[in-house]
């Protein structure tokens, strides 16, 4: 963990957006802007995929990011890279200290496999993504869904290489800030998962703030 508070003030933000519990969002970021994601009530997983705005075939790469930094968790100093190996964003402040990019986004299929057959039709991040992309109408669809970042989510890796979903390490008001290194689309699912501790079994709202570059 590399905890680093921010010097940016909310009153100077050019955008302040409160995202309801369990809901999707699609928006744009410009190169040089700084994005803050705030875990308002604590332990709310925020599943995000980034795309290059001028060529959406270039997208966030979980494997490329982990190889670049030589570690499995994201925190201050981590550079999120694209499938072309280019920096997309850099984490410049973090009061949570650890974020996941291995656990993926929940889906009808994974709800069935991990929990129970009757969980298949519960709301999921993958459904959120598809709904947001359909409404955005920018030419992205199901084939463009790739492994994502799970901000504030705690997914420890066991000694034998297994992933486990554990109680979060975040708390009310903790945040992570990222500076955009290129013009981006941001696809968000404020995770609706009710079956594991990633949201403390109770999805809650989060907040997004954006500052222009100086």
């Amino acid at each position: 963990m590399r905890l680093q508070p921010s010097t940016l003030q909310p009153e100077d933000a050019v955008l302040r957006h409160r995202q309801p519990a369990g809901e999707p969002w699609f928006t744009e970021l410009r190169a040089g802007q700084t994005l803050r994601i705030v875990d308002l009530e604590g332990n709310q997983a925020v599943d995000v995929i980034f795309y290059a705005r001028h060529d959406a075939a270039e997208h966030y790469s979980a494997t490329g990011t982990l190889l670049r930094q030589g570690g499995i968790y994201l925190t201050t100093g981590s550079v999120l890279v694209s499938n072309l190996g280019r920096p997309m964003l850099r984490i410049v402040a973090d009061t949570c200290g650890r974020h996941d990019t291995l656990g993926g986004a929940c889906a009808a299929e994974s709800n069935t496999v991990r929990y129970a057959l009757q969980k298949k039709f519960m709301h999921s991040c993958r459904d959120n993504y598809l709904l947001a992309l359909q409404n955005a109408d920018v030419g992205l669809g199901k084939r463009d869904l790739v492994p994502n970042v799970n901000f504030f989510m705690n997914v420890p890796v066991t000694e034998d290489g297994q992933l486990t979903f554990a109680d979060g390490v975040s708390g009310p008001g903790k945040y992570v800030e990222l500076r955009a290194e290129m013009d981006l689309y941001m696809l968000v699912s404020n995770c609706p998962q009710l079956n594991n501790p990633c949201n403390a079994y109770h999805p809650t709202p989060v907040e997004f703030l954006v500052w222009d570059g100086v």
Side-chain angles (χ1 to χ4, degrees), residues 48-82:
V48 183
I49 304 175
F50 296 99
Y51 302 89
R53 202 167 81 221
H54 302 296
D55 181 5
E58 184 175 7
H59 53 73
Y60 171 70
S61 170
T63 54
T65 297
L66 297 185
L67 286 170
R68 174 74 65 89
Q69 71 169 5
I72 60 174
Y73 301 116
L74 305 179
T75 188
T76 308
S78 295
V79 178
L80 281 60
V81 303
S82 75

Side-chain angles (χ1 to χ4, degrees), residues 82-118:
S82 75
N83 55 317
L84 300 183
R86 297 201 301 156
M88 302 188 85
L89 306 102
R90 182 183 304 269
I91 299 180
V92 293
D94 186 12
T95 61
C96 173
R98 193 167 84 180
H99 308 272
D100 168 68
T101 191
L102 292 173
C106 58
E109 295 79 8
S110 63
N111 282 339
T112 300
V113 171
R114 289 173 178 165
Y115 310 116
L117 182 61
Q118 62 266 33

Side-chain angles (χ1 to χ4, degrees), residues 193-205:
Q193 185 57 254
L194 295 169
N195 298 290
N196 70 51
C198 72
N199 296 337
Y201 304 101
H202 175 63
T204 55

Side-chain angles (χ1 to χ4, degrees), residues 139-158:
L140 292 167
K142 183 184 293 188
R143 66 179 180 180
D144 300 297
L145 297 184
V146 296
N148 59 288
V149 182
N150 296 307
F151 291 106
F152 308 113
M153 189 169 172
N154 185 22
V155 185
V157 178
T158 64

Side-chain angles (χ1 to χ4, degrees), residues 125-146:
C125 285
R126 186 174 174 86
D127 292 340
N128 270 348
Y129 286 156
L130 292 174
L131 180 62
L133 291 179
Q134 182 179 35
N135 290 336
D137 194 23
V138 294
L140 292 167
K142 183 184 293 188
R143 66 179 180 180
D144 300 297
L145 297 184
V146 296

